[in-house]
Amino acid sequence: MGSFNFFGRMSRAFNEYPSLSNILVVSTISGGSLIAYAEANTYNGSQGHIAHADATASDGGHALSKVVPKKKKVVLLGTGWAGMSFLKSLNNPTYEVEVVSPRNFFVFTPLLPSVTCGKVEARSIAEPIRNIIRKKNVDISFSEAECVKIDPQNKKIYCRSTIESHSKGEEEFAVDYDYLIIAVGAQVNTFNTPGVMENCHFLKEIDDAKKIRKNVIESFEKACLPSLSDEERKKILHFVIVGGGPTGVEFAAELHDFVNDDVVKLYPKVKDLVKITLLEATDHILNMFDKRITNFAENKFGREGIDVKLGSMVTGINENEISTKARGNGKTTSTPYGMVLWSTGIGPRPLIKEFMKQIGQGNRRALATDEWLRVEGFDSIYALGDCATINQRKVTEDIAEIFKKADKDNSGTLTVKEFQETLNDICERYPQVELYLKNKQKRNIVDLVKEAKGDAAKESMELNIEEFKAALSEVDSQMKNLPATAQVANQQGAYLAKCFNRMEECEKNPEGPPRFRGTGRHRFHPFRYRHLGQFAPLGGEQTAAQLPGDWVSIGHSSQWLWYSVYASKQVSWRTRALVVSDWLRRFIFGRDTSGI
């Protein structure tokens, strides 16, 4: 009993004083031990108040007359990838942060397809937000509510509680802010296709994955009922996936593995009646990947009996059939189905639609921001993740100002040296310039000047304003919108937190590129996305990996890379341990087919 009391006291101590978690006890088989201590990066809030009180008392009361500056209020909407990354990276205690979200947890969305067929449990990929914020040395509070309106003029947001209450009416409240960070994500885009909302499953939230899992299990149980005909069983066990992107392809692969690894043992009577159909409106599935991956995936699915229909557009869905139209000949077909997963793209949420109308962006698909993630026209409102897109400024809009800044001797022409000295600032402010040089295989600025001047380059390497315009006339063609992925949102959240951590310092000493339309420099370096690669699990313990440098790997080795990367990217040791244990459980015992 003494040992239980000891561990109980230790557990309470670790909960009350998180800094004690930096003490590590390593025991050896022989009974010896090693104790190591690392200074805590975070501290308990109450300890900070006690230290402040002691300092005041020891100062003889003089500190009581000091005015404590009011903390600026930061309101964060959303607990997805962008919001979670911002919270984890923020370490400036001069802010008061309030998080508003209809869900009180973060979801590791890349593993949602694994939840649908029992490879991973839903709880294993969810981390409570309060677990994240309690470890921070920043004043952070959380409200489980949905923002329904943004009032940028008065710097207020209006929210409605999402918790069921027995009180009359809906619980609404307003929140003031100094800075607003919008990271609410996006919703499924149905493209106004009739019957999609009423008859399809989606895969955006953890509840979606749980519903799909329950529906899959119930489909097999229902198909085993003795009163059904084979035609009825075929209809029930016809699974249709609309959209050949990473989510649709991975779900098709997971479902196929479930059928081959578990259904053949648990539902032997109906295993031969299962059909999986993947509908894609374009010419190929996984069209954002390298062609080698696309071709491998299409051939693999064909060999395994997954019916991939390319150029097939869905025109409507009712409770029994899905109607499609072939893109080439316009032929329409209606096919009975048992379950449909709709995975074709994303669109703005109602809050974002309404806000875009307020600020004159009603004709856009996402909130437009500048390169520092500020909503255009508002210095105190930021938007990141799937709900926003960076509206990269064009070089041609500022060409005259850039030339004037570069022409330091006011000669009316630019030498190669002047151009070269300005190029780094141009590339930072306008990343499309660097992409243009790379794609055109230009070794340096001299090659670009020679191309602009043509035969005249033999006589002079100086550029006038017209030749300068000609040299940079095509660079804006390299502008691309960032993909709506977890990787982009994660990097944006970390970038914005870094800006907030250094806000005061950079106000005094700006570190960004020079202002071509004005004087001085920008406070911060603009956001730059760094692509780290992407995965496409294809089933059968095979994964396609496309990494930077045009490096492509397909097969079992890439599957183990997928396991290691996704385990390391979990937001806590708790979820990391749960996910790895789920994978081990599946290897040993198979998938959980209980449907709960």
Side-chain angles (χ1 to χ4, degrees):
M1 289 296 293
S3 62
F4 284 106
N5 291 334
F6 169 76
F7 284 112
R9 289 194 296 271
M10 287 296 292
S11 176
R12 288 193 297 271
F14 274 96
N15 286 327
E16 293 174 5
Y17 301 97
S19 62
L20 290 178
S21 62
N22 291 277
I23 298 177
L24 176 66
V25 181
V26 183
S27 299
T28 65
I29 297 176
S30 60
S33 64
L34 171 67
I35 299 179
Y37 179 77
E39 184 177 353
N41 290 324
T42 59
Y43 56 87
N44 186 280
S46 60
Q47 290 174 307
H49 292 301
I50 294 171
H52 175 73
D54 290 343
T56 302
S58 64
D59 198 29
H62 295 293
L64 292 174
S65 61
K66 295 180 181 178
V67 178
V68 179
K70 183 181 178 182
K71 293 183 177 182
K72 289 191 175 181
K73 180 73 170 289
V74 178
V75 174
L76 170 63
L77 302 181
T79 53
W81 277 97
M84 177 278 303
S85 179
F86 177 83
L87 289 176
K88 291 200 71 172
S89 302
L90 185 68
N91 55 31
N92 189 339
T94 62
Y95 295 107
E96 177 192 354
V97 182
E98 181 162 354
V99 184
V100 178
S101 175
R103 68 180 192 196
N104 66 350
F105 54 88
F106 162 78
V107 177
F108 192 86
T109 51
L111 287 180
L112 281 176
S114 296
V115 175
T116 59
C117 294
K119 186 175 182 178
V120 172
E121 292 299 319
R123 285 192 183 92
S124 301
I125 63 171
E127 178 70 10
I129 283 297
R130 294 187 184 274
N131 280 0
I132 296 174
I133 64 179
R134 72 181 179 86
K135 302 172 185 177
K136 306 295 295 182
N137 66 336
V138 183
D139 182 8
I140 305 177
S141 60
F142 174 78
S143 298
E144 188 170 335
E146 180 181 13
C147 178
V148 294
K149 183 181 179 183
I150 299 171
D151 183 359
Q153 281 70 35
N154 297 308
K155 288 193 171 184
K156 287 179 180 288
I157 62 167
Y158 296 90
C159 307
R160 181 183 302 128
S161 173
T162 57
I163 304 173
E164 294 185 5
S165 174
H166 296 292
S167 59
K168 295 182 179 180
E170 296 174 325
E171 299 180 10
E172 296 186 357
F173 57 93
V175 180
D176 296 314
Y177 67 83
D178 293 304
Y179 297 102
L180 176 63
I181 301 173
I182 305 173
V184 297
Q187 64 182 11
V188 174
N189 190 352
T190 66
F191 300 97
N192 296 319
T193 306
V196 171
M197 295 301 298
E198 297 83 1
N199 301 297
C200 291
H201 287 272
F202 309 105
L203 195 51
K204 288 287 293 178
E205 301 289 343
I206 204 163
D207 285 340
D208 296 335
K210 292 164 72 174
K211 289 177 182 177
I212 292 173
R213 177 175 174 175
K214 183 178 181 181
N215 190 289
V216 168
I217 300 301
E218 288 181 347
S219 295
F220 284 101
E221 294 293 351
K222 186 176 181 180
C224 290
L225 295 176
S227 58
L228 299 177
S229 65
D230 281 349
E231 287 301 317
E232 290 173 317
R233 292 190 177 98
K234 287 181 179 179
K235 175 183 179 299
I236 293 170
L237 296 178
H238 185 198
F239 300 94
V240 180
I241 300 105
V242 182
T247 301
V249 167
E250 186 173 353
F251 174 69
E254 287 284 352
L255 185 58
H256 180 268
D257 283 355
F258 174 61
V259 172
N260 283 272
D261 296 344
D262 300 277
V263 169
V264 292
K265 303 173 187 176
L266 302 174
Y267 307 93
K269 294 182 180 179
V270 299
K271 62 182 179 64
D272 295 327
L273 302 178
V274 180
K275 183 179 181 181
I276 302 172
T277 300
L278 180 61
L279 303 177
E280 170 57 40
T282 63
D283 294 331
H284 296 283
I285 61 174
L286 297 176
N287 51 28
M288 70 292 298
F289 282 78
D290 187 276
K291 289 183 179 179
R292 289 169 286 180
I293 294 176
T294 296
N295 293 334
F296 181 87
E298 291 174 355
N299 292 333
K300 184 177 187 296
F301 279 10
R303 291 193 305 269
E304 294 176 344
I306 299 176
D307 187 11
V308 179
K309 294 185 177 180
L310 302 174
S312 185
M313 300 176 61
V314 177
T315 57
I317 304 173
N318 59 37
E319 59 183 5
N320 294 310
E321 294 180 329
I322 179 169
S323 300
T324 59
K325 181 174 70 172
R327 194 177 58 180
N329 54 25
K331 181 181 178 181
T332 58
T333 306
S334 294
T335 308
Y337 71 88
M339 189 193 86
V340 176
L341 171 68
W342 186 271
S343 178
T344 60
I346 57 173
R349 295 186 182 275
L351 171 69
I352 301 301
K353 289 181 181 178
E354 184 61 33
F355 183 53
M356 287 194 295
K357 289 180 182 178
Q358 284 181 251
I359 62 176
Q361 294 188 18
N363 60 341
R364 301 188 66 93
R365 295 181 180 179
L367 268 173
T369 72
D370 62 16
E371 297 88 336
W372 292 269
L373 308 184
R374 296 173 300 194
V375 174
E376 290 186 342
F378 299 92
D379 288 338
S380 59
I381 302 180
Y382 298 82
L384 50 162
D386 292 355
C387 69
T389 183
I390 296 176
N391 191 13
Q392 176 64 50
R393 191 169 182 83
K394 295 181 179 180
V395 176
T396 51
E397 295 176 352
D398 298 331
I399 197 77
E401 285 74 17
I402 296 173
F403 186 88
K404 186 177 180 181
K405 286 275 187 180
D407 186 16
K408 296 178 181 178
D409 59 2
N410 297 320
S411 63
T413 60
L414 292 184
T415 64
V416 171
K417 182 180 179 181
E418 287 176 325
F419 199 177
Q420 186 68 59
E421 289 175 349
T422 312
L423 185 64
N424 291 336
D425 291 330
I426 295 175
C427 288
E428 182 176 16
R429 183 65 181 84
Y430 310 94
Q432 60 266 38
V433 175
E434 187 174 0
L435 286 174
Y436 179 78
L437 291 174
K438 182 179 179 181
N439 292 338
K440 289 290 185 178
Q441 297 181 342
K442 303 297 181 185
R443 293 173 299 174
N444 50 44
I445 197 65
V446 175
D447 289 346
L448 192 63
V449 173
K450 287 180 178 179
E451 184 181 64
K453 292 181 69 68
D455 294 336
K458 298 178 182 179
E459 301 176 3
S460 172
M461 289 297 289
E462 293 187 354
L463 290 175
N464 59 34
I465 182 66
E466 295 303 322
E467 291 169 334
F468 184 68
K469 288 180 180 178
L472 300 177
S473 61
E474 297 182 9
V475 298
D476 289 329
S477 63
Q478 303 298 317
M479 293 173 60
K480 295 180 180 179
N481 290 330
L482 294 177
T485 62
Q487 192 175 158
V488 172
N490 186 55
Q491 291 185 27
Q492 288 180 335
Y495 163 82
L496 190 58
K498 182 180 178 181
C499 292
F500 273 79
N501 290 338
R502 307 182 66 243
M503 186 79 75
E504 294 181 1
E505 178 184 345
C506 291
E507 287 279 4
K508 299 175 183 177
N509 302 300
E511 62 182 18
R515 297 178 184 271
F516 290 111
R517 286 181 174 268
T519 59
R521 306 183 76 89
H522 292 277
R523 282 183 302 179
F524 308 107
H525 296 289
F527 172 74
R528 288 293 174 266
Y529 169 61
R530 182 187 176 195
H531 185 62
L532 302 177
Q534 52 190 347
F535 291 102
L538 303 176
E541 292 300 313
Q542 295 189 69
T543 288
Q546 183 175 337
L547 303 179
D550 196 31
W551 190 84
V552 171
S553 175
I554 306 172
H556 298 287
S557 60
S558 299
Q559 179 69 37
W560 287 104
L561 178 62
W562 180 88
Y563 282 131
S564 61
V565 169
Y566 277 16
S568 66
K569 290 296 182 181
Q570 296 299 314
V571 297
S572 70
W573 279 103
R574 185 189 73 87
T575 55
R576 189 172 293 119
L578 290 173
V579 166
V580 172
S581 65
D582 285 345
W583 288 336
L584 292 174
R585 170 189 52 78
R586 199 266 304 179
F587 273 118
I588 299 171
F589 302 107
R591 293 167 177 81
D592 180 6
T593 58
S594 60
I596 57 175

